[in-house]
Amino acid sequence: MSDSYRALVVDRQDGETVAGIRTLTEADLPEGEVTVRIDYSCLNYKDGLALTGRAPIIRRPPMTAGIDFAGTVESSESPDFAPGQAVVLTGWGVGERHPGGLAQRARVPAKWLEPLPEGCDTKWAAAIGTAGFTAMLCVIALERAGVAAGAGPVAVTGAAGGVGSVAVALLARLGHEAVAITGRADECRDYLTGLGAHEVLPRGARAEAPEKPLLSEHWAGAVDTVGGAMLAHVLAEVRYGGAVAACGLAGGAGLKTTVMPFILRGVSLLGIDSVMCPPAPRREAWQRLARDLPGSALAAMTEVIPLAEVVEQGEEILAGGVRGRVVVDVNA
Ligand code: NDP
């Protein structure tokens, strides 16, 4: 490979955030043990925030964006990785404090890389990316909290988004009655049913704060990607002893609720972070994804775009207009 590579760089110019493709060289790669030739990156909600500057995700611009990548090891100073090995990276501050994955090359510490599970390729890994990995962490957290298959309906909010789509597919595969809650019920009903949703519900009143601290008991569990009023509403509907895995803020970072679900129904609120998730649960989640996420569902929720279309899609994901997962072919 030549010394130069293409990267989607976010910069600040005259107080505005600008994102564009630049040609970088070896000298632009940071210090690190492993250099990776990237095949695919992907688009997550956080990438949308970074590319538009809507939140200060990129701390020291100019910097290459992209919180995930999947590719092949080009060179390695670590005994844990050898040239030619397929790897994936999500989180660890890549695309935030460290040059990101929306590029043809990256260099990172070895401990941030995950070898691909047996039989899985880099496109599969990028299609999952941070969003799918987070959905898996949510499902594992619900399992550990005692939400068993057959226990009752499990709600997924923001169901047509990236985390939501993978969560629906995983829950359905694992025998749960996955109920997709979405602002696009008409448009996405067939899509979500195809992923395995038992039922597709419009946001309806759940977009608003609950009118009472406790509502009728519906959910054995929930995966919440929305936060704000919707999380408060869903918490008030969880059955006795149930749990909610909270990972997102697409509808707001605030949470105005009462302690009633916790102290009268024994409900658990489980916080999910994918960025600094330690190596052991990371490995477990990737192994589980290889086992439990049906390839047909992943294919149905994935669209592939070239690097040149990422900025436009970054606006779109913040507007709630992206369905499922967007893989970025950085070499297209
Ligand atoms: P997407 O944009 O793909 O999905 C978000 C979904 O939320 C949308 O598709 C939409 O679903 C719903 N939504 C959007 N805006 C609103 C709104 N104003 N009110 C109610 N619902 C809304 O994003 P991702 O799946 O990539 O991420 C989802 C969330 O999870 C984000 O907040 C992201 O920051 C967070 N996240 C957190 C991680 C962690 O480590 N904790 C890791 C990954 C993501 P629909 O159309 O179906 O209603």
Side-chain angles (χ1 to χ4, degrees):
M1 183 160 185
S2 80
D3 179 48
S4 65
Y5 65 98
R6 291 191 313 147
L8 186 53
V9 174
V10 171
D11 203 355
R12 294 281 295 171
Q13 289 170 3
D14 304 325
E16 300 282 317
T17 297
V18 284
I21 296 175
R22 294 189 192 171
T23 300
L24 304 182
T25 67
E26 177 88 22
D28 294 305
L29 287 168
E31 296 283 302
E33 296 161 294
V34 186
T35 306
V36 177
R37 195 157 21 85
I38 299 176
D39 297 328
Y40 299 101
S41 183
C42 61
L43 186 72
N44 296 280
Y45 192 86
K46 195 186 264 181
D47 295 313
L49 293 173
L51 293 165
T52 57
R54 205 77 61 81
I57 302 296
I58 292 195
R59 314 289 163 88
R60 289 185 301 277
M63 204 181 78
T64 302
I67 64 171
D68 300 338
F69 64 76
T72 308
V73 173
E74 188 177 291
S75 62
S76 172
E77 290 164 14
S78 160
D80 297 331
F81 293 96
Q85 191 172 354
V87 290
V88 60
L89 181 147
T90 65
W92 295 118
V94 166
E96 300 186 56
R97 293 179 295 275
H98 191 93
L102 284 162
Q104 291 174 306
R105 287 171 104 191
R107 185 176 290 149
V108 293
K111 63 179 186 216
W112 292 355
L113 290 168
E114 196 60 42
L116 294 196
E118 192 76 25
C120 299
D121 62 23
T122 52
K123 192 170 175 188
W124 172 87
I128 290 167
T130 284
F133 172 64
T134 303
M136 190 74 248
L137 292 179
C138 289
V139 171
I140 292 172
L142 290 179
E143 288 171 349
R144 299 231 158 104
V147 180
V154 178
V156 178
T157 64
V163 178
S165 294
V166 179
V168 166
L170 283 169
L171 288 165
R173 173 61 163 250
L174 292 165
H176 291 275
E177 205 180 295
V179 177
I181 300 174
T182 174
R184 296 177 274 180
D186 290 339
E187 185 191 330
C188 295
R189 187 173 304 280
D190 290 349
Y191 165 75
L192 288 162
T193 307
L195 296 182
H198 178 79
E199 201 179 350
V200 178
L201 299 178
R203 284 178 200 158
R206 292 190 178 89
E208 312 293 334
E211 62 278 12
K212 293 188 287 184
L214 293 173
L215 301 172
S216 303
E217 296 181 48
H218 282 299
W219 317 117
V223 172
D224 177 67
T225 75
V226 170
M230 193 169 293
L231 174 55
H233 206 110
V234 165
L235 274 169
E237 295 179 322
V238 177
R239 292 183 186 177
Y240 193 91
V244 178
C247 70
L249 45 57
L255 178 59
K256 194 163 178 297
T257 183
T258 75
V259 296
M260 295 309 188
F262 312 118
I263 67 171
L264 294 183
R265 288 185 180 161
V267 168
S268 301
L269 181 56
L270 314 168
I272 304 297
D273 168 59
S274 65
V275 178
M276 301 308 290
C277 175
R282 249 178 216 273
R283 183 70 48 92
E284 180 194 359
W286 280 104
Q287 296 297 337
R288 285 286 307 271
L289 283 157
R291 193 187 81 189
D292 295 334
L293 182 64
S296 56
L298 188 62
M301 70 176 81
T302 304
E303 177 196 358
V304 183
I305 63 168
L307 200 55
E309 287 176 21
V310 172
V311 173
E312 193 186 320
Q313 288 291 304
E315 293 278 357
E316 198 59 26
I317 199 167
L318 297 186
V322 167
R323 193 183 82 174
R325 296 286 298 137
V326 176
V327 165
V328 180
D329 183 345
V330 297
N331 301 299

